[in-house]
Amino acid sequence: MDRGHVAMGELDMEFRAIERDSSGFQRPVTADDVHHIVHRAFGPDVRANAAVELGGGMYNTTYRLETDGTAPVILRVAPEPARQNRSERRLMRNEYASLPFLAPIAHLMPQVVAADFTHELVARDYLLQTVVPGVPAPEHLGTYPREQWSALFAQMGEIARRIHDVCGAHFGPVGGPGFANWSEAFLAALEDAAADIDDAGLDSADLRRVIAVTDKHRAVLDEVTQPRLLHGDLWTVNVMLDPDAAEPQITGVFDCDRTLWGDPAADWTIYMATRRRGGEREAFWQTYGQLPDTPASRWRQLVYTARHISAIRLERHRTGHGDVDQTYALMRQIADDLG
């Protein structure tokens, strides 16, 4: 991490940025940018004293800001529009549009202090949010005995259920575009993912095979007639824990930018909870409830898994973390199972 003080006229700020390869996806803003953002949000008399870039995320660039006139805040800066994939376009705006619908978990979420999508200060969307209390779950969960982890997954099930009980008026991303039926929304998402894979110089033939089968049997998707709110990215990496609790206790949920209206069974949370059945993850189902188990629901789960694998493929390629080739073996198995 680069450390240093950056002077700006009479201003002096500690500015810490994570050292990244110049070709990396996440890109920093400048100290001047931070000063201008703080002045726009809080007024010209409020000074930024420190901006420390936070690791952990793989999409937005995130800083913890200290000022001389407000409580600490989190600055999240989206990638430049030209660098956003079709399947990840305007995610920050999507989160902002989702806030009224996430009211059932508002007490766990950061509050928006300021939002700026004008690109007048920086050519990127950004949000200022309150700091969610606690420590990241990936850092703290391991301090508890494994048998206590079920408490975390039980809470995850409760949170997912609250989100999935919210009904919408259309299918697709909360911020749009909206679709009249689930098959149109889901196939549009698959097509965007395939195009993104092509743009990345990867082979999308296996996903296009899944798309062809899904299109042929779109009536199975359209058995889902009520749009429900999906978080899109709820799992352990996006929750905070109480550092002093006797057992895992969720104090915050963040990164709610992939919300959409659709079938709850298609949510990333369900995909993750379904993996490694048994053990502590079974507590999720005790609070969430059980999924339908019919030939149609099992078929839909296959195509939902294909969508998740396509997202994993793109993320692994973008970050250089994980085995991209493994996604091809997984997708091939799904395509074979679909017939």
Side-chain angles (χ1 to χ4, degrees):
M1 177 177 288
D2 290 332
R3 300 172 182 265
H5 283 77
V6 179
M8 182 181 175
E10 297 180 354
L11 302 178
D12 187 30
M13 178 179 69
E14 182 181 13
F15 186 79
R16 303 183 188 180
I18 295 173
E19 293 184 21
R20 304 183 188 277
D21 188 281
S22 59
S23 63
F25 180 77
Q26 290 171 295
R27 295 181 179 175
V29 294
T30 68
D32 280 0
D33 292 333
V34 172
H35 280 299
H36 292 311
I37 288 169
V38 167
H39 289 166
R40 171 166 287 192
F42 301 114
D45 295 330
V46 177
R47 185 180 70 175
N49 296 322
V52 178
E53 186 176 355
L54 304 178
M58 293 184 287
Y59 191 73
N60 299 309
T61 305
T62 306
Y63 300 85
R64 180 186 172 97
L65 304 186
E66 305 277 352
T67 76
D68 60 3
T70 68
V73 294
I74 300 297
L75 168 63
R76 297 168 60 211
V77 187
E80 296 89 340
R83 301 176 66 245
Q84 298 178 17
N85 290 332
R86 295 171 182 81
S87 55
E88 296 176 320
R89 188 172 292 121
R90 294 188 168 187
L91 291 182
M92 191 168 286
R93 301 187 189 197
N94 188 64
E95 176 173 335
Y96 191 73
S98 303
L99 296 179
F101 305 106
L102 288 165
I105 64 164
H107 62 291
L108 293 171
M109 293 176 55
Q111 303 300 302
V112 174
V113 176
D116 190 346
F117 306 145
T118 66
H119 295 190
E120 291 176 352
L121 298 183
V122 293
R124 300 156 69 176
D125 292 348
Y126 68 83
L127 288 174
L128 287 169
Q129 297 175 308
T130 56
V131 177
V132 176
V135 294
E139 297 178 12
H140 192 57
L141 184 60
T143 66
Y144 294 100
R146 190 94 186 194
E147 58 268 20
Q148 289 189 327
W149 290 16
S150 59
L152 169 67
F153 293 106
Q155 293 166 68
M156 296 280 282
E158 293 173 351
I159 293 168
R161 173 48 62 196
R162 291 178 191 172
I163 295 171
H164 291 170
D165 282 347
V166 178
C167 298
H170 65 79
F171 291 97
V174 172
F179 297 86
N181 56 62
W182 179 224
S183 65
E184 290 180 0
F186 188 73
L187 281 164
L190 288 182
E191 290 284 0
D192 281 348
D196 287 339
I197 290 171
D198 289 338
D199 289 345
L202 301 173
D203 186 1
S204 68
D206 54 353
L207 179 57
R208 294 192 181 280
R209 180 181 166 194
V210 170
I211 291 172
V213 175
T214 305
D215 185 44
K216 183 178 179 181
H217 299 284
R218 61 170 60 211
V220 183
L221 289 175
D222 287 333
E223 291 178 9
V224 178
T225 57
Q226 176 61 68
R228 299 278 183 165
L229 184 62
L230 282 60
H231 182 279
D233 203 19
L234 175 64
W235 201 241
T236 55
V237 296
N238 286 332
V239 300
M240 304 288 277
L241 298 181
D242 183 339
D244 301 317
E247 64 178 15
Q249 178 64 46
I250 295 176
T251 59
V253 175
F254 56 94
D255 281 3
C256 304
D257 49 10
R258 298 176 187 269
T259 52
L260 69 152
W261 300 109
D263 179 2
D267 207 347
W268 174 255
T269 315
I270 299 302
Y271 171 71
M272 293 298 291
T274 303
R275 300 175 64 198
R276 305 176 192 170
R277 291 300 297 257
E280 61 272 2
R281 295 194 189 194
E282 286 304 306
F284 177 93
W285 303 107
Q286 293 170 13
T287 56
Y288 179 84
Q290 297 298 318
L291 294 176
D293 186 15
T294 66
S297 67
R298 290 192 292 273
W299 184 90
R300 287 192 292 269
Q301 210 63 55
L302 284 173
V303 296
Y304 297 160
T305 300
R307 174 66 186 94
H308 296 314
I309 291 172
S310 70
I312 292 169
R313 179 179 298 173
L314 285 165
E315 185 170 273
R316 288 181 177 179
H317 174 76
R318 182 176 68 219
T319 64
H321 299 146
D323 184 1
V324 174
D325 290 341
Q326 182 191 37
T327 67
Y328 285 94
L330 294 171
M331 191 78 76
R332 183 168 56 250
Q333 183 60 59
I334 290 173
D336 290 344
D337 290 344
L338 286 171

